[in-house]
């Protein structure tokens, strides 16, 4: 393209922006910055892939207290390498967090949330070792990295860092200043993340931001579409424990199962307690007062779900989940309404007695149920924990222990905030179908940002695709064979575009 053509194109776009046809962020993108940055992103592709692989190789697992200090130190190194000038480890009552700032003298600030921990894994369940981060060909997707943390959350987070590397390699500056807050306890319910954000200097830095995002890679394979979520459900994780030692009945340790004829069973007692928590079909909570504070969907939220139902593929959703039917055989739109509106009581796992190969005739002295609750506005973690305890006590299960490990409240973000408008503008620029959705059914500790004293818009943003979070063979696409889904370079440029949009949107 000749200099004359470039100049005329700049003039045309500037005029179009003045007329309201384009947002200022897109005019900045047209000025030549984006082309140079993309070239740098392409040149840095190998380094970006290596960054993901090396990060996956260090599995910081909070639930196992594995490599947590190493994980924080590694996160600090990644931040420094990406250009953050101030980087510090932040102690908590649990595992440490990381706080960093990148100040380029820009007009606006943007907050970024990272987690450096991952879920546990069983190598026997994987097709390739979960820490080797092998690059494999995945039919229908292209080349993917397979490993624990590939999509949740190291792949998307490393892709955001790749955007900062590309901006700097192109000789440019980030269009916004950045505040980075990281934790190592997201996978155990973020029990101490609020301590990080409450530090006066960190709170002061966040208060300057337009909002906070967590990087994501959730493009749908069928059409490349994404959901822009206006909130997320809260979560509570805990264990219910029944034991002969606490109950005062049943054995204190495992005994021969023939003794069941005359000895009470802590395992059956736990089953009976669990049965009181839900309706007979297991699909709705029966906990006393559970729906007392639940806010029904608003008319606008139902409208957004209706629109989303038209753009989102029910077949894709069922295929991804490996299910054939929804609860009560609900139609697609009603299933989406239930997904967004209903609090849940879920059994993650049941552990008691012998679970190895074959049988072992024992009467267990202890039984544990691992439970998670998903919360909707206006429920709170504190109130729900109280309700669980009161519900069990009322029914005589005072001996059942309720051991809470973590959790947080639900989030809500205004769809007219700069954050949401910038996300939609970025997706629109790239021709990505975007559905505004009231509430992510999953959870992240965004309530720390959306509630006082931070009180910022917060949500997810990102292009690209990955799947298998918390499951075997978790993957993240780096070279996409699907023209509707971005690979690593395209996803990198999505973050670049977003930062320009945040810098300029009115």
């Amino acid at each position: 393209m000749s200099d004359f053509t470039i100049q005329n194109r700049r003039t045309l776009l500037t005029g179009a922006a003045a007329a309201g046809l384009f947002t200022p962020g897109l005019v900045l993108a047209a000025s030549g910055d984006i082309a140079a940055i993309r070239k740098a992103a392409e040149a840095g592709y190998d380094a970006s892939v290596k960054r993901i692989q090396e990060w996956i190789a260090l599995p910081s697992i909070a639930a196992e207290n594995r490599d947590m200090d190493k994980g924080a130190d590694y996160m600090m190194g990644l931040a420094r390498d990406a250009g953050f000038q101030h980087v510090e480890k932040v102690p908590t009552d649990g595992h440490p967090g990381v706080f960093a700032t990148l100040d380029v003298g820009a007009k606006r600030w943007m907050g970024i949330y990272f987690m450096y921990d991952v879920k546990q894994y069983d190598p026997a369940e994987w097709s390739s070792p979960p820490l080797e981060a092998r690059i494999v060909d995945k039919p229908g997707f292209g080349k993917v990295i397979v490993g624990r943390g590939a999509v949740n959350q190291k792949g998307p987070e490393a892709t955001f860092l790749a955007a900062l590397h590309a901006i700097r390699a192109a000789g440019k500056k980030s269009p916004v200043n950045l505040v980075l807050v990281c934790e190592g306890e997201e996978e155990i319910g973020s029990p101490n993340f609020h301590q990080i954000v409450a530090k006066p200097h960190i709170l002061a830095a966040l208060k300057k931001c337009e909002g906070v995002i967590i990087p994501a890679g959730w493009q749908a394979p069928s059409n490349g579409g994404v959901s822009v979520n206006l909130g997320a459900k809260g979560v509570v994780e805990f264990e219910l424990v029944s034991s002969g030692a606490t109950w005062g009945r049943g054995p204190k340790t495992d005994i021969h199962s023939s003794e069941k004829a005359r000895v009470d069973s802590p395992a059956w007692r736990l089953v009976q307690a669990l049965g009181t928590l839900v309706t007979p079909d297991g699909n709705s909570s029966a906990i006393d007062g559970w729906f007392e504070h639940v806010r029904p969907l608003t008319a606008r939220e139902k409208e957004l779900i209706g629109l989303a139902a038209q753009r989102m593929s029910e077949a894709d959703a069922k295929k991804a989940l490996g299910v054939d039917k929804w609860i009560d055989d609900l139609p697609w739109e009603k299933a989406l309404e239930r997904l967004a509106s209903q609090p849940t009581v879920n059994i993650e796992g049941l552990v008691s007695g012998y679970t190895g190969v074959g049988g072992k005739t024992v009467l267990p002295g202890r039984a544990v149920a691992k439970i998670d609750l998903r919360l909707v506005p206006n429920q709170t973690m504190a109130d729900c924990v109280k309700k669980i305890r009161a519900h069990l006590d009322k029914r005589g299960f005072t001996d059942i222990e309720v051991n809470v490990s973590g959790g947080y409240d639900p989030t809500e973000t205004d769809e007219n905030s700069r954050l949401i408008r910038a996300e939609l503008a970025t997706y629109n620029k790239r021709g990505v179908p975007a559905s505004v959705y009231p509430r992510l059914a999953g959870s992240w500790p965004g309530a720390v940002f959306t509630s006082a004293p931070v009180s910022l818009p917060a949500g997810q943003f990102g292009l690209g695709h990955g799947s298998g979070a918390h499951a075997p063979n978790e993957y993240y696409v780096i070279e996409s064979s699907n023209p509707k889904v971005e690979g690593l370079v395209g996803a990198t440029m999505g973050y670049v575009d977003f930062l320009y949009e945040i810098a300029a949107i009115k």
Side-chain angles (χ1 to χ4, degrees):
M1 187 180 290
S2 69
D3 290 342
F4 177 79
T5 303
I6 292 173
Q7 185 59 47
N8 277 319
R9 186 164 181 261
R10 288 175 180 169
T11 302
L12 174 64
L13 287 170
T14 302
L21 301 178
F22 295 102
T23 66
L26 303 191
V27 175
L28 286 172
S31 70
D33 283 12
I34 294 299
I37 295 169
R38 183 177 184 94
K39 185 176 181 180
E42 291 169 349
Y45 171 81
D46 289 341
S48 297
V49 170
K50 185 178 179 182
R51 189 176 299 115
I52 299 172
Q53 291 178 304
E54 290 181 345
W55 201 1
I56 287 173
L58 177 64
S60 302
I61 302 176
E64 299 174 348
N65 195 22
R66 180 177 176 182
D67 290 333
M68 299 310 297
D69 276 324
K70 288 181 181 178
D73 291 341
Y74 198 87
M75 182 68 253
M76 293 170 71
L78 288 171
R80 291 191 187 99
D81 290 345
F84 286 87
Q85 302 108 333
H86 174 82
V87 180
E88 67 176 277
K89 184 184 290 187
V90 185
T92 74
D93 289 343
H95 301 302
V98 174
F99 167 65
T101 56
L102 192 162
D103 187 348
V104 295
K107 177 182 176 183
R108 288 181 178 165
W109 290 77
M110 185 66 208
I112 311 296
Y113 166 85
F114 275 17
M115 50 184 278
Y116 67 82
D117 65 319
V118 297
K119 273 292 186 186
Q120 310 92 303
Y121 57 85
D122 180 355
E125 298 176 338
W126 290 64
S127 61
S128 62
L131 301 186
E132 288 191 8
R134 290 181 184 174
I135 298 174
V136 303
D137 291 315
K138 188 173 181 63
F141 293 93
K143 291 188 181 299
V144 305
I145 293 177
V146 176
R148 175 53 83 227
V151 70
N152 182 31
Q153 201 70 35
K154 292 178 177 178
E157 290 172 351
T159 304
F160 181 86
L161 296 177
L164 301 185
H165 280 276
I167 290 171
R168 188 167 55 170
K172 311 298 180 182
K173 290 183 178 180
S174 171
V176 292
N177 309 311
L178 298 174
V179 173
L180 178 66
V181 282
C182 318
E183 68 163 322
E185 297 181 327
E186 198 281 339
E187 296 293 13
I188 59 171
S190 302
N192 298 295
F193 183 52
H194 63 283
Q195 296 178 11
I196 297 171
V197 173
K199 300 286 185 185
H201 66 297
I202 298 177
L203 177 59
L206 283 169
K207 292 286 282 183
K208 295 186 290 186
C209 293
E210 296 297 321
V212 181
I213 62 162
I214 176 175
W218 297 342
Q219 280 190 277
S222 59
N223 65 355
V226 296
S227 291
V228 176
N229 299 299
L230 301 180
K233 289 184 178 180
V235 69
V236 185
E237 283 196 281
F238 61 95
E239 292 183 342
L240 294 182
V241 182
S242 174
S243 68
T246 303
W247 187 16
R249 306 183 66 87
K252 294 179 174 61
T253 61
D254 293 1
I255 60 175
H256 196 279
S257 65
S258 63
E259 294 295 337
K260 184 64 196 76
R262 60 179 179 179
V263 178
D264 291 302
S265 168
W268 278 116
R269 182 160 179 79
L270 178 63
V271 169
Q272 292 164 353
L274 290 171
T276 72
L277 299 181
V278 292
T279 53
D281 60 7
N283 291 333
S284 294
S285 170
I287 299 166
D288 296 337
W290 195 246
F291 292 90
E292 176 186 4
H293 300 301
V294 169
R295 176 176 66 72
L297 292 173
T298 65
R300 174 58 176 163
E301 287 172 334
K302 288 185 176 181
E303 179 185 10
L304 290 173
I305 290 172
L307 294 171
Q310 298 171 26
R311 304 189 71 168
M312 299 165 66
S313 167
E314 181 178 19
D316 276 359
K318 287 182 173 179
K319 182 178 179 181
L321 296 171
V323 302
D324 298 319
K325 298 180 182 297
W326 307 122
I327 284 175
D328 299 329
D329 295 319
L330 291 171
W332 180 225
E333 185 172 335
K334 291 300 181 182
L336 288 175
E337 285 187 4
R338 183 177 175 88
L339 184 66
S341 66
Q342 289 302 296
T344 63
V345 181
N346 176 60
I347 298 176
E348 297 176 356
L350 289 169
V351 184
S352 185
Y354 177 71
T355 59
V357 177
K360 185 179 180 183
T361 51
V362 296
L363 193 171
R366 190 172 187 268
V368 179
K370 295 179 180 291
I371 307 289
D372 69 60
L373 314 172
R374 301 288 172 170
L375 315 181
V376 300
N378 294 314
Q379 290 181 300
T380 66
M381 174 183 172
D383 183 62
C384 289
V385 170
K386 288 180 182 178
K387 282 182 165 63
I388 290 280
R389 181 71 271 170
H391 174 93
L392 292 172
D393 290 351
K394 182 179 178 180
R395 285 155 182 80
F397 294 107
T398 56
D399 56 288
I400 300 290
E401 301 172 42
V402 180
N403 300 327
V404 178
S405 57
Y408 36 80
D409 297 343
T411 73
E412 291 191 274
T413 287
D414 186 348
E415 67 175 301
N416 294 312
S417 64
R418 281 180 178 154
L419 176 69
I420 299 301
R421 290 188 289 117
E423 290 190 19
L424 290 170
T426 305
Y427 290 136
N428 182 62
K429 172 199 171 184
R430 300 179 68 92
V432 174
S435 300
V436 180
Y437 196 72
R439 189 166 304 111
L440 179 70
S443 305
W444 73 295
V448 173
F449 304 119
T450 59
S451 61
V454 183
S455 304
L456 289 176
Q460 305 79 33
F461 176 83
L463 296 173
H465 173 80
S467 190
H470 299 191
N473 301 321
E474 181 180 354
Y475 69 89
Y476 184 63
V477 176
I478 54 172
E479 289 185 24
S480 179
S481 62
N482 181 344
K484 297 183 182 299
V485 174
E486 295 287 0
L488 181 56
V489 172
T492 298
M493 295 309 299
Y495 292 117
V496 174
D497 288 341
F498 171 74
L499 294 179
Y500 273 98
E501 203 61 59
I502 277 289
I505 197 164
K506 295 181 178 178

